[in-house]
Amino acid sequence: MQVNGFTKYFAISFFWSFFQWFYSGGDHCGFSQFPTLGLRAWKHSFFFDFNLTYVGAGMICPHLVNISLLLGSILSWGVMWPLIADLKGNWYPADLPESSMRSLQGYKAFICIALILGDGIYNFTKIILKTVMSMLDKSKQKSAKNGEDTLSLVEQHRNEVFIRDSLPNWLAFLGYFALSVVAVITIPRMFPELKWYYAVVAYLLAPALGFSNAYGSGLTDINMAFNYGKVALLILAAAAGKEHGVVAGMVGCGMVKCMTSISADLMQDFKTGHLTLTSPRSMLIAQIIGTAIGCVISPLTFYVFYNAFDIGNQDSPWKAPYALIYRNIAILGVEGFSALPMHCLQLCCGFFAFALVANLMRDFLPQKYGKWVPLPMAMGFPFLVGASFAIDMCAGSLIVYIWHRIDRSKATHMVPAVASGFICGDGLWIFPASLLALAKITPPMCMAFASTH
């Protein structure tokens, strides 16, 4: 039943995306710009854009995530941005384009960053504390056991298989050293703004950071690599100076984030291998093969996307919000608070404090109250990218809610399959759409809306 459901909704999603393509022949055209809530709401990005990827994601995500997205959308695009836009000429120069970081776009980007950093720093600190406390507890437990072996026979067998096929330590050290040398030589050549000694420091710190992230991820199932990357980004951007700080910070951030992220991912894979009696040596070889293939496939995929679509344009469906967020974190590291528009620092401090308080409330209030506190990270994204995707995801939540009310048992089994079908069908259409764009084949029609008044 789940396979049939997935196939059915995969086909619906794919052909719906194909159908939409015919009406998107121009700027602000097609169903993705349909003013479902009226033209005035559409101008503030409040509309349902018929994106089944986000509908499917909303069906999978918890209701609280989607509600938090909607709250962030209402607060930002419904209240704050119209009010700040009315202060043009007072808070920021009226002759600046809206895309300038000294105008409204600056408030959008930096307040979003404040929420994300506040949430990230809180969770980063919490997970570090949990990691330290867990290690101390395990140390005490080992001392109390006095060397007694309490492992079951199954666990002992798993350990034997895992240790028997593990790689020797000298190979791990040698491999890391060799790859580090290659990276320290090649990365500064690719990005001259990043000095070689910054790369050396990153690779010296990587084992400790990777261990911390892997251990914390194992305890909490939260990969904090992005937060390690943000810290590295701020430090490197400030250290490299105004001329090269942005690029150096971004490259260093990518290095630290990748190293810490892959540490957590690999440890989870090895734990799965340990539980399933899989050889760690075979797993590592498979990872190496996959990485080698990825080195070819990933740049080609990026090339196709970059040439087929208007990546990074804030008025297009391909906004690339993380690119803007990380770039502005780097600018903040280089220029300090002088990079912020008027009163933006006060607003950022307020939202940073809100993120901390919201997390504290979630952790320390009784469960029946804490579970309703919105998620600051989820609230932050609509501040920058708009409200339409939040409406799509809330539509997914509404579908799940109604389905559960009608037939709970069927909904429990079918929601993941239907949501996956929506996401995969819409995602697969991107490939033929990119090929059509590369071939300069444009949609034949433009469906757009304008006011008659």
Side-chain angles (χ1 to χ4, degrees):
M1 186 169 66
Q2 287 179 318
V3 174
N4 290 336
F6 171 82
T7 306
K8 176 183 175 182
Y9 287 97
F10 172 87
I12 290 172
S13 178
F14 181 84
F15 286 108
W16 171 244
S17 299
F18 176 51
F19 175 75
Q20 287 188 80
W21 177 81
F22 285 96
Y23 298 90
S24 58
D27 294 333
H28 305 298
C29 296
F31 286 91
S32 63
Q33 298 292 329
F34 197 99
T36 44
L37 302 176
L39 284 171
R40 189 171 182 182
W42 173 80
K43 289 178 181 177
H44 294 286
S45 76
F46 282 95
F47 58 93
F48 179 69
D49 64 4
F50 297 92
N51 189 318
L52 294 185
T53 293
Y54 288 131
V55 174
M59 294 175 69
I60 295 173
C61 287
H63 294 310
L64 183 62
V65 172
N66 299 327
I67 292 171
S68 299
L69 288 168
L70 186 61
L71 286 174
S73 301
I74 294 170
L75 178 61
S76 56
W77 291 88
V79 179
M80 290 181 61
W81 304 157
L83 290 176
I84 293 176
D86 289 340
L87 295 169
K88 181 190 293 186
N90 185 8
W91 279 23
Y92 58 93
D95 57 345
L96 285 177
E98 192 173 306
S99 59
S100 170
M101 295 309 298
R102 299 282 182 177
S103 67
L104 184 60
Q105 186 67 23
Y107 294 95
K108 294 177 183 178
F110 288 113
I111 293 174
C112 171
I113 289 168
L115 274 171
I116 292 173
L117 282 179
D119 188 82
I121 288 172
Y122 178 88
N123 285 289
F124 178 76
T125 306
K126 184 173 79 171
I127 287 173
I128 290 294
L129 290 174
K130 278 190 175 182
T131 301
V132 173
M133 291 171 65
S134 174
M135 293 175 71
L136 291 174
D137 288 342
K138 285 191 174 182
S139 177
K140 290 177 182 177
Q141 289 173 8
K142 281 186 178 180
S143 301
K145 286 179 181 177
N146 293 322
E148 293 181 8
D149 188 8
T150 58
L151 294 176
S152 65
L153 291 175
V154 174
E155 191 68 20
Q156 290 181 41
H157 180 54
R158 285 173 178 160
N159 291 346
E160 288 173 5
V161 172
F162 194 81
I163 293 171
R164 184 180 64 220
D165 289 338
S166 62
L167 293 167
N169 289 333
W170 65 266
L171 184 60
F173 285 113
L174 182 62
Y176 184 78
F177 176 77
L179 292 173
S180 299
V181 170
V182 172
V184 168
I185 294 172
T186 56
I187 291 177
R189 287 180 177 273
M190 295 168 63
F191 303 97
E193 294 85 357
L194 183 76
K195 303 302 181 185
W196 64 269
Y197 42 85
Y198 292 140
V200 170
V201 171
Y203 276 95
L204 288 175
L205 293 176
L209 298 177
F211 170 79
S212 300
N213 189 44
Y215 195 90
S217 180
L219 287 175
T220 62
D221 200 29
I222 300 174
N223 192 332
M224 301 299 292
F226 288 98
N227 292 294
Y228 285 99
K230 288 168 192 168
V231 173
L233 175 57
L234 283 168
I235 294 172
L236 284 173
K242 286 191 175 183
E243 188 176 355
H244 303 302
V246 173
V247 176
M250 297 283 280
V251 175
C253 167
M255 292 168 60
V256 171
K257 185 189 75 65
C258 289
M259 288 186 284
T260 52
S261 177
I262 202 64
S263 299
D265 293 340
L266 281 174
M267 286 306 297
Q268 288 189 340
D269 291 344
F270 280 132
K271 181 60 180 177
T272 304
H274 175 262
L275 294 173
T276 57
L277 299 176
T278 304
S279 166
R281 189 172 302 177
S282 301
M283 291 183 65
L284 187 61
I285 292 171
Q287 293 278 355
I288 292 171
I289 294 171
T291 302
I293 295 172
C295 290
V296 178
I297 298 297
S298 296
L300 291 176
T301 305
F302 175 79
Y303 175 80
V304 170
F305 268 81
Y306 193 76
N307 286 277
F309 303 110
D310 192 10
I311 305 295
N313 183 351
Q314 297 305 300
D315 294 324
S316 75
W318 310 95
K319 294 180 174 66
Y322 266 117
L324 194 61
I325 289 171
Y326 277 81
R327 181 178 179 274
N328 284 292
I329 293 175
I331 291 172
L332 191 62
V334 171
E335 299 184 13
F337 295 132
S338 63
L340 303 177
M342 185 183 293
H343 301 301
C344 188
L345 176 60
Q346 292 89 329
L347 289 170
C348 288
C349 290
F351 279 96
F352 184 88
F354 166 77
L356 297 178
V357 171
N359 278 292
L360 286 169
M361 291 172 66
R362 286 184 58 80
D363 286 341
F364 292 101
L365 284 178
Q367 176 66 18
K368 61 180 180 179
Y369 301 119
K371 67 180 181 180
W372 296 107
V373 177
L375 303 170
M377 183 77 76
M379 289 183 66
F381 286 111
F383 276 60
L384 186 61
V385 300
S388 60
F389 86 101
I391 293 173
D392 294 344
M393 294 188 69
C394 285
S397 262
L398 183 61
I399 291 169
V400 172
Y401 176 77
I402 294 173
W403 200 347
H404 273 275
R405 298 285 292 182
I406 295 171
D407 190 344
R408 178 175 292 273
S409 61
K410 186 176 180 181
T412 302
H413 288 92
M414 290 301 298
V415 162
V418 172
S420 301
F422 280 155
I423 294 169
C424 293
D426 190 44
L428 185 63
W429 167 249
I430 294 173
F431 180 67
S434 61
L435 294 180
L436 290 170
L438 288 173
K440 307 299 181 184
I441 300 174
T442 57
M445 292 175 279
C446 172
M447 182 177 71
F449 298 85
S451 175
T452 56
H453 300 291

